[in-house]
Amino acid sequence: CWAHARRKFIEAQKVQPKGKTGKADWVINQMGKLYAVEKQAKALDPDARHALREQKSQPLIAQLRTWLDKSLAQVLPKSTLGKALHYLDHQWPRLTRFLDNGLIPLDNNPAENAIRPFVVGRKNWLFSHTPSGAHASAAIYSLIETAKANGLPPYEYLRYVFETLPTLNDDE
């Protein structure tokens, strides 16, 4: 996601000489412009968001791609900046996917934020003494977070699932 790509350029920015601006600064600025467009698009329906992205984000992406192709040939691949550039290059098809559909987010931060409590608290869940217990816990956590992401009350959603699921036949 763009947040991950941005972090790599922030790492590269930290190792550039003090007081100097460089390639990392430029790309971080471009990414900031993409996020500014997303901020404008946040309240729009998916079709309007897609149209706004075509109008404002697509030219930024084209400019960034041209810059990336040029920069890849100028920077040592093993340097911090080189690693950031190669990450951006290798992830490019995934990173630009958001331009295809107004439903696709620019980054996956909401998903990561949703699972953060489980990642932070994973040592608290050592009661899953078996792989089966761990899989069951993961399934329940997924159901709860899916309900939250869709604006459904988790308790009522789980109750519905647990009451309805046993009554369904294989075709349903």
Side-chain angles (χ1 to χ4, degrees), residues 39-53:
K39 189 174 181 180
Q40 289 177 347
K42 188 175 184 176
L44 300 177
D45 66 74
D47 290 334
R49 186 177 304 120
H50 183 250
L52 183 67
R53 286 174 176 173

Side-chain angles (χ1 to χ4, degrees), residues 33-172:
K33 291 176 184 177
L34 287 174
Y35 276 95
V37 172
E38 288 303 299
K39 189 174 181 180
Q40 289 177 347
K42 188 175 184 176
L44 300 177
D45 66 74
D47 290 334
R49 186 177 304 120
H50 183 250
L52 183 67
R53 286 174 176 173
E54 282 184 337
Q55 178 191 6
K56 294 190 174 183
S57 296
Q58 182 66 44
L60 293 170
I61 291 293
Q63 186 180 22
L64 185 56
R65 183 70 234 189
T66 301
W67 173 88
L68 177 61
D69 290 337
K70 180 180 163 189
S71 297
L72 281 167
Q74 297 172 342
V75 176
L76 294 171
K78 301 270 185 196
S79 68
T80 308
L81 180 60
K83 289 177 185 177
L85 291 169
H86 283 281
Y87 178 85
L88 187 60
D89 184 45
H90 288 113
Q91 297 300 321
W92 193 259
R94 292 175 189 92
L95 292 171
T96 56
R97 187 89 171 113
F98 79 102
L99 295 170
D100 298 337
N101 187 320
L103 291 171
I104 300 173
L106 185 65
D107 62 36
N108 65 352
N109 280 346
E112 288 191 6
N113 290 338
I115 65 169
R116 185 167 287 116
F118 302 112
V119 173
V120 170
R122 78 179 108 197
K123 288 185 181 179
N124 296 332
W125 299 310
L126 293 175
F127 62 83
S128 297
H129 295 288
T130 65
S132 296
H135 287 289
S137 294
I140 295 296
Y141 299 144
S142 294
L143 285 171
I144 290 169
E145 292 305 323
T146 299
K148 287 180 186 177
N150 288 291
L152 301 170
Y155 176 79
E156 284 82 5
Y157 178 71
L158 287 174
R159 185 172 167 193
Y160 172 80
V161 168
F162 292 141
E163 288 174 354
T164 307
L165 204 56
T167 66
L168 300 176
N169 62 37
D170 289 343
D171 295 333
E172 298 174 309

Side-chain angles (χ1 to χ4, degrees), residues 22-39:
K23 291 181 183 298
D25 297 295
W26 186 87
V27 74
I28 290 168
N29 184 48
Q30 288 298 105
M31 290 178 185
K33 291 176 184 177
L34 287 174
Y35 276 95
V37 172
E38 288 303 299
K39 189 174 181 180

